[in-house]
């Protein structure tokens, strides 16, 4: 027994008890005749006192040799503190030390182990084991555990069964790139790591396991953008004998349960919005609805006024920025620069101040009268004092640009409150999306998603208009989950593969087992997957996922702590029948 | 809503209710004017009745087209059965069908979907999704889920935190072979899949996360023996500020909790046995102690009697097979053939019948008197009626052989009862074991295991005698868990790597991050890992793990259902800077 109590446990009620504690030296205050040490572990901090008059001389001596992050064990008596610290739960007591053992020394850590550290991102990642000692990181990992326990118990209580699906599966070129794993025993052949357990969970449905879930690692060999990880965790779910409504219902309840248990927030029925509405009102399929600034389409009220740019635009669309009428010319110019940044890509921005006194002042006063601008205000729901920002151009592009502006303004205005939660179902996604690069349609969700029955005839004539039984759960402007009703018959699945450009042979080679399975009595089924890393981050009031992952990789996919990936032995390569060919 | 109830739910109390059910057609009995269908889902079977006089003609017609494993949905009224079936919970009722919809047709399945199927192993694996429909397989997967939920809730309630460690790590040549994953973004470099999260959990201890667990997939590219899987699941645990006793205590409680909650079996304190005792008494470091037949060493009482084989043997050792004295000469000859099989490898077997009347009859009566054989009986704890079986030879070999015989006899005598549970801690394992092939010592557990402090001086003089703070949890003759107290200082770890034949550079390249971590205040720590697949199988009263895994691989490491591993595109290989070189 290295300790009788943790460092977060002792109170005044323990006074006069002799206790054994262990932990790390957080802080030392050495007054010569008296030394105070803050002893830290996962549970808190307890103050130790070494006192020349009351502590054995040898112990006093040893205490003087301590350094930050030394691991020590002490025995001593719980006494009342003279100057109490109301900020920590153990702040009313301290331990008068009688015995001290140094369990392990420590070099001076490369950054301070404090809530606010002086360590940069790179250093913290290289010494991640030290970073985890810091409360902000440690607490996030404990928080993640709490969330997953809630998820598991909720789903298990609803009769879901967690089934482990395999990690060594088969490569399929659809979607992102697979990580592959050479097989030593099967020469020249490779396993692939799953991008998701999609086909296996569908096979479980065919197998009658009608409520499945799994919290599972998935892998995508993508060029990493900020805040993407090559390995990430999903809460993966599938149900049989269900319609879309049944699935939304269960997972809305799960999310509501989490918000209540984890965040103490009660949320009523989640609003729903079609994909088309989300794009029209927010320019985005994952709108943050914690705040307004809904889009107002202005084509009707801007045309035929000699302003060529608007007249020729596919879409003219604006938002009303609350209290923006007071912005100076300089501030507005900066805003225009912001929308013209390559990351946003607008060519310019038209604005109209809706002054407090009800008058208007716009950057296009040459073309538009007060009456016109009043109509802009109506369409964008602007109030006196607001600034109407208008972008124009090709529909999809301009929506993305205005959405970026909307989010930026919300951020600046403090409207994206971390402790406010606005979930939203976005439904009726298109089945297919056009890919400029390959010049063909791709599955928007994945190739197993069922088209809406009534839209199937459109597949031949207007594939882009076919809607799917697909849905996303959006929380505070982030997609935290998504899913669909699946195809469950061989013919529809074959048709779908055909539309997606698979030859019959390719479809058979890659998904033959699934189409075979559909012939042996596949039930109607559907499901959903949550991105756990993001879900946890958002419930934790943050948008970056990295600190909610114990050992994340950097943007080059490297683990800088263990220095992976790395070269492997020639011998090992030979056993795998492989040769590296560098360019 | 595809169903108002499941097929395991309806009782007499539901009489006259109109219900909607969905599921698979298990069985059809067509009497022409009356058709009964057993409708199956995950929850049970409900009998449907189609009756010419009471069922609409179109529905009757449709019912005649049904086949086994069709997926159907019906609406009907719950009525009392005329001939009740006491074997199933729904056996008192049936559903008089009013509406029938075929949700999906089914080909005739390649084997019967019954508890006892006509499908062979290969066919069942290829159509695993059909196999999972069968109760024996389905129930095992649900059972596995139940066990993991109990484990997680138990550990979580004890303040353990489940932390996900990475799957894309770094290859280390120690132990079994790693599966590797080529990195596209880091040319010529590879990740490895973890054989266990060993180093990461130790880093979590350095990080202050003093109670860690994780239910996690691990990977070993071994030549597969029967009942080994290239990917397997561990309950992985680690604790800081603990001694061996603390760890045994927690995980004994966990196991006791599982036996109680899952099996309804109460077990008192688990017995403990040193590795040396286990080898001496059972010839095995994972003895099945549900039954006796302990080894009796006979060197003392067999020597100096002119029987050269025993006189020259390193070890002469026997067991008393209960009630074996009645075996015929032929039966005993068969037993001798059995121990001479190459899998066991004994050169022969000496036996002595301890007859019910107290006399002895042995195969070596030429050399040994009644008085001698009485001593054999004493040493092997034989009673009148038993058969004493004696093997001799090199100590380690003969122990393994006699252990195999002991297990075989127990099996034949029905002493290995599936519903009886005999856990056992085996402690004080050797730190090192001699490897004949490489002619050097290997770590018996792994290179991070701490030697017993008092044995450290022996490292230089008699490394084989050094004991470790390492322990295994054995259940019914199977190792279900194992662990150790770890080294937590850089010097000892460096010494250990040196003994294991790592050069300083190799140690640094592979485990530098861990030794670095030990310099920044590593606490004393240790842990344990359970093999979940085996644990679940044994709690389920079985010893083969395959059916407790949803999608297992065969002995060649192949998933015959999805046909993986498989070849990948040249394009994909090129992106990975790889070339396949077949022999």
């Amino acid at each position: 027994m290295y300790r009788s109590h943790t460092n977060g446990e002792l109170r005044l009620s323990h006074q006069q008890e002799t206790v054994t504690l262990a932990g790390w030296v957080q802080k030392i205050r050495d007054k010569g005749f008296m030394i105070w040490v803050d002893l830290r572990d996962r549970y808190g901090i307890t103050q130790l006192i070494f006192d020349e008059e009351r502590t054995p001389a040898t112990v006093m001596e040893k205490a003087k040799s301590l350094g930050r992050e030394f691991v020590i064990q002490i025995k001593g008596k719980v006494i009342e503190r003279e100057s109490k610290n109301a900020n920590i739960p153990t702040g009313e007591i301290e331990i008068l030390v009688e015995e001290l053992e140094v369990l392990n020394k420590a070099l001076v850590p490369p950054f301070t182990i404090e809530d606010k550290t002086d360590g940069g991102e790179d250093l913290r990642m290289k010494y991640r084991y030290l970073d985890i000692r810091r409360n902000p990181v440690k607490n996030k990992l404990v928080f993640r555990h709490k969330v997953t326990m809630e998820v598991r118990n909720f789903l298990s209580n609803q009769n879901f069964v967690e089934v482990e699906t395999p990690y060594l599966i088969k490569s399929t070129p659809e979607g992102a790139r697979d990580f592959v794993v050479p097989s030593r025993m099967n020469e020249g052949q490779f396993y692939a790591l799953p991008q998701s357990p999609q086909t296996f969970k569908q096979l479980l449905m065919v197998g009658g396991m009608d409520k499945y879930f799994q919290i599972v690692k998935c892998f995508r060999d993508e060029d990493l953008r900020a805040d993407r990880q090559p390995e990430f965790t999903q809460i993966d779910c599938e149900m049989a004998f269900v319609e879309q409504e049944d699935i939304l219902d269960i997972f809305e309840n799960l999310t509501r349960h989490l918000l209540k248990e984890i965040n103490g927030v009660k949320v009523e029925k989640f609003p729903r919005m079609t994909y088309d509405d989300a794009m029209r009102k927010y320019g985005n399929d994952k709108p943050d609805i914690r705040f307004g600034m809904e889009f107002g389409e202005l084509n009707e009220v801007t045309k035929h006024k000699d302003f060529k740019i608007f007249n020729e635009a596919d879409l003219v669309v604006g938002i009303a920025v609350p209290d923006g009428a007071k912005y100076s010319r300089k501030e507005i110019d900066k805003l225009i620069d912001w929308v013209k940044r390559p990351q946003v890509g607008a060519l310019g921005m038209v604005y109209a101040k809706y002054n407090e006194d009800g008058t208007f002042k716009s950057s296009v006063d040459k073309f538009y009268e007060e009456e016109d601008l009043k109509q802009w205000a109506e369409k964008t729901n602007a109030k006196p004092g607001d600034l109407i920002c208008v972008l124009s151009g090709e529909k999809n592009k301009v929506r993305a640009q205005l959405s970026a502006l909307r989010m930026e303004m919300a951020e600046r205005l403090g409207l994206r409150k971390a402790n406010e939660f606005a979930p939203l179902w976005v439904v009726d996604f298109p089945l297919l999306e056009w890919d400029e690069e390959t010049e063909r349609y791709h599955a928007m969700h994945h190739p197993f998603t069922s088209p809406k029955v009534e839209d199937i005839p459109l597949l031949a004539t207007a594939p882009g208009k076919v809607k799917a039984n697909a849905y996303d759960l959006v929380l505070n402007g982030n997609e935290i989950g998504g899913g669909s009703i699946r195809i469950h018959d061989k013919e529809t699945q074959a048709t779908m593969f055909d539309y997606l450009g698979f030859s019959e042979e390719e479809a058979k080679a890659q998904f033959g087992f699934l189409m075979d399975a559909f012939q042996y009595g596949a039930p109607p089924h559907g499901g959903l997957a949550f991105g756990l890393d993001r879900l946890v981050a958002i419930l934790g009031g943050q948008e970056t996922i990295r600190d909610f992952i114990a050992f994340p990789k950097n943007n080059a996919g490297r683990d800088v702590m263990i220095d992976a990936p790395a070269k492997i032995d020639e011998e090992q390569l030979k056993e795998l029948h492989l040769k590296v060919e560098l360019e």
Side-chain angles (χ1 to χ4, degrees), chain A residues 39-52:
Chain A
L39 188 65
R40 187 195 68 233
D41 64 14
R42 182 184 136 198
Y43 310 92
I45 282 181
T46 298
Q47 179 167 296
L48 312 179
I49 179 167
F50 299 80
D51 175 357
E52 213 170 50

Side-chain angles (χ1 to χ4, degrees), chain A residues 123-354:
Chain A
L123 210 53
R124 288 175 45 216
M125 285 301 148
K126 183 167 159 70
Y127 298 93
R128 184 63 165 174
Y129 46 87
L130 297 180
D131 203 25
I132 291 172
R133 286 189 197 158
R134 296 173 52 241
N135 287 321
V137 180
K138 178 198 76 186
N139 291 343
K140 288 187 180 80
L141 298 181
V142 175
F143 182 81
R144 181 184 180 111
H145 168 65
K146 204 176 152 200
V147 173
T148 60
M149 287 303 297
E150 286 295 341
V151 170
R152 282 199 163 94
N153 281 310
F154 179 90
L155 291 174
S156 189
N157 289 336
Q158 304 267 341
N159 252 324
F160 281 77
V161 178
E162 183 162 22
V163 179
E164 293 177 59
T165 53
Y167 279 84
L168 296 173
I169 65 165
K170 192 169 164 174
S171 188
T172 56
E174 181 65 20
R177 284 189 193 84
D178 287 325
F179 282 106
V180 297
V181 182
S183 166
R184 183 177 53 88
M185 294 212 283
N186 301 272
E187 281 190 33
Q189 300 189 6
F190 294 76
Y191 302 100
L193 299 178
Q195 295 187 29
S196 90
Q198 183 63 32
T199 49
F200 287 95
K201 68 178 176 176
Q202 292 191 242
L203 292 173
L204 285 172
M205 296 306 109
V206 178
M209 195 62 73
D210 62 4
K211 287 176 167 184
Y212 146 91
F213 84 101
Q214 188 184 189
I215 299 186
V216 61
K217 273 281 174 80
C218 301
F219 304 86
R220 272 179 213 171
D221 185 12
E222 286 176 309
D223 298 318
L224 299 175
R225 282 175 272 156
D227 219 28
R228 282 264 186 142
Q229 291 282 320
E231 52 177 304
F232 54 96
T233 307
Q234 253 179 224
I235 306 170
D236 193 49
C237 305
E238 196 80 3
M239 301 170 78
F241 300 113
V242 289
E243 287 153 355
Q244 175 168 317
E245 199 55 38
D246 303 308
I247 296 176
L248 300 196
D249 190 47
I250 287 261
F251 295 101
E252 181 165 323
N253 284 342
L254 169 61
T255 311
R256 197 179 286 118
H257 175 81
L258 292 178
L259 286 168
K260 182 160 160 281
E261 294 301 318
I262 302 288
N263 299 90
V265 173
K266 276 195 186 176
V267 182
E268 299 304 310
K269 196 154 176 50
F270 296 1
R272 294 189 191 179
M273 194 180 289
T274 64
Y275 171 87
D276 287 346
D277 279 349
M279 293 308 288
R280 212 178 55 241
K281 284 191 196 167
Y282 301 97
N284 196 314
D285 63 1
K286 42 178 198 280
D288 190 338
I289 59 168
R290 280 176 295 184
F291 55 93
M293 289 198 266
E294 287 184 21
F295 287 14
E297 299 197 347
L298 305 177
N299 294 53
E300 261 180 50
V301 296
T302 56
K303 282 201 170 163
H304 319 298
K305 294 283 174 175
D306 294 333
F307 187 52
K308 211 176 151 198
I309 295 176
F310 282 1
N311 287 346
E312 289 175 357
D314 181 23
L315 178 67
V316 182
V317 60
I319 53 172
V321 176
D323 295 323
K326 62 174 186 277
Y327 290 3
S328 67
R329 179 64 206 238
K330 209 171 143 194
E331 283 172 315
I332 293 179
D333 281 348
K334 269 191 170 169
L335 213 54
I336 294 173
D337 287 343
W338 190 90
V339 299
K340 288 163 88 173
R341 299 186 327 154
Q343 298 94 315
V344 182
L347 295 172
M349 184 181 93
V350 165
Y351 67 88
K353 289 183 173 183
Y354 190 176

Side-chain angles (χ1 to χ4, degrees), chain A residues 507-520:
Chain A
K508 199 176 163 181
Q510 287 166 33
F511 299 109
F513 60 95
L514 186 66
M515 294 204 288
D516 281 351
F518 284 172
Q519 294 184 292
Y520 289 103

